[in-house]
Amino acid sequence: MGEFVRLETTDGIGTIRLERPPMNALNTQVQEELRAAAAAATADPEVRAVIVYGGEKVFAAGADIKQMADMSYVDMAERAPELSSALGALARIPKPVVAAITGYALGGGCELALACDWRVVAEDAKLGQPEIKLGIIPGAGGTQRLARLVGPARAKDLIMSGRMVDAQEALRIGLVDRVVPAAEVYDAAVALVTPYLTGPAQALRAAKLAVDGGLDMDLTSGLAWETQLFAALFATDDRREGMTAFVEKRKPDFTGR
């Protein structure tokens, strides 16, 4: 698809692969190729789940600092919304998305992982938001998604110190979901999303919309949003099939419609 990012689809799983050696730094081109890959994964009905993978050695070690070093306030004021929305495109993929993390997921790389639904990491992986050490803060969702995931106090600790956390601490604080040997990261990500490949695609989409959208609302609005999505699913073939299969005591055959 792109020079540094491509989408590969096998057996219903779309793998968004980053390949910009040596550290998969997220320069402007990589950001826009990620946006394009997210759009392609969203649009392709053959893609039922997505894995974001940086390869066997590193996930992504952050933004391209060399590219940003000479940028002015005006330059970044124009670019920052595009950076944020590029990773936001991944967060809005209406399908299950898991980050398969080896090596480092730092700065923009950590923000990329935070844009996914789950994170599977290698035992020797390191994650963090070290932007404070450059005199800045995370600018692509780190202050917002991290706080929603691990709570404000822990998010402030990681963001304001800039320290890295190892896989076990990341698991303990809820930053990641599974820790496996480095050689098993991609396979573990496949295992995590496999149960969703034959699931009811519209209901899975609605579940993700309900949770993610509800986090930005007060409880009353969130409950109304949930009710709307719940009722809408009664227009789907999969709802009919799921309930019929339950009554007939058989396994449902979902079609995604």
Side-chain angles (χ1 to χ4, degrees), residues 156-243:
K156 289 173 186 174
D157 167 36
L158 296 180
I159 293 166
M160 295 170 73
S161 70
R163 69 184 182 89
M164 292 187 291
V165 297
D166 62 22
Q168 289 303 321
E169 182 178 359
L171 181 65
R172 179 175 58 81
I173 66 176
L175 176 54
V176 306
D177 303 283
R178 296 185 185 178
V179 176
V180 299
E184 299 174 16
V185 166
Y186 185 79
D187 289 342
V190 170
L192 191 154
V193 298
T194 293
Y196 304 111
L197 301 180
T198 56
Q202 296 303 316
L204 290 169
R205 172 182 176 273
K208 184 167 179 174
L209 284 171
V211 173
D212 290 348
L215 287 171
D216 294 326
M217 304 176 189
D218 59 73
L219 180 58
T220 299
S221 299
L223 290 170
W225 175 232
E226 177 190 75
T227 296
Q228 181 179 351
L229 291 166
F230 169 72
L233 290 169
F234 278 73
T236 66
D237 293 343
D238 280 349
R239 189 280 309 174
R240 186 177 298 105
E241 167 62 12
M243 291 188 172

Side-chain angles (χ1 to χ4, degrees), residues 9-222:
T9 304
T10 304
D11 297 329
I13 297 175
T15 300
I16 296 176
R17 290 184 179 269
L18 283 73
E19 292 185 331
R20 189 187 178 219
M23 301 298 285
N24 290 335
L26 306 181
N27 68 355
T28 299
Q29 182 177 343
V30 172
Q31 294 162 24
E32 293 308 312
E33 289 182 6
L34 281 168
R35 188 198 305 277
T42 296
D44 189 347
E46 296 300 315
V47 175
R48 302 295 296 272
V50 175
I51 296 173
V52 182
Y53 183 52
E56 297 178 355
K57 294 183 178 180
V58 65
F59 183 69
D64 192 329
I65 306 304
K66 291 181 179 179
Q67 187 180 64
M68 293 194 303
D70 294 327
M71 294 181 73
S72 68
Y73 164 76
V74 172
D75 294 332
M76 188 51 76
E78 293 177 351
R79 181 60 208 167
E82 298 303 314
L83 166 59
S84 184
S85 66
L87 299 194
L90 283 157
R92 291 189 298 275
I93 294 174
K95 303 169 185 182
V97 181
V98 57
I101 299 170
T102 57
Y104 294 99
L106 301 175
C110 188
E111 290 173 305
L112 176 60
L114 289 169
C116 301
D117 299 312
W118 304 282
R119 286 146 293 279
V120 174
V121 305
E123 291 173 332
D124 58 353
K126 302 287 186 181
L127 297 89
Q129 300 285 171
E131 289 90 345
I132 201 78
K133 297 180 179 180
L134 302 175
I136 57 174
I137 63 171
T143 66
Q144 302 304 303
R145 292 193 177 97
L146 184 60
R148 285 165 168 77
L149 188 64
V150 304
R154 283 173 172 160
K156 289 173 186 174
D157 167 36
L158 296 180
I159 293 166
M160 295 170 73
S161 70
R163 69 184 182 89
M164 292 187 291
V165 297
D166 62 22
Q168 289 303 321
E169 182 178 359
L171 181 65
R172 179 175 58 81
I173 66 176
L175 176 54
V176 306
D177 303 283
R178 296 185 185 178
V179 176
V180 299
E184 299 174 16
V185 166
Y186 185 79
D187 289 342
V190 170
L192 191 154
V193 298
T194 293
Y196 304 111
L197 301 180
T198 56
Q202 296 303 316
L204 290 169
R205 172 182 176 273
K208 184 167 179 174
L209 284 171
V211 173
D212 290 348
L215 287 171
D216 294 326
M217 304 176 189
D218 59 73
L219 180 58
T220 299
S221 299

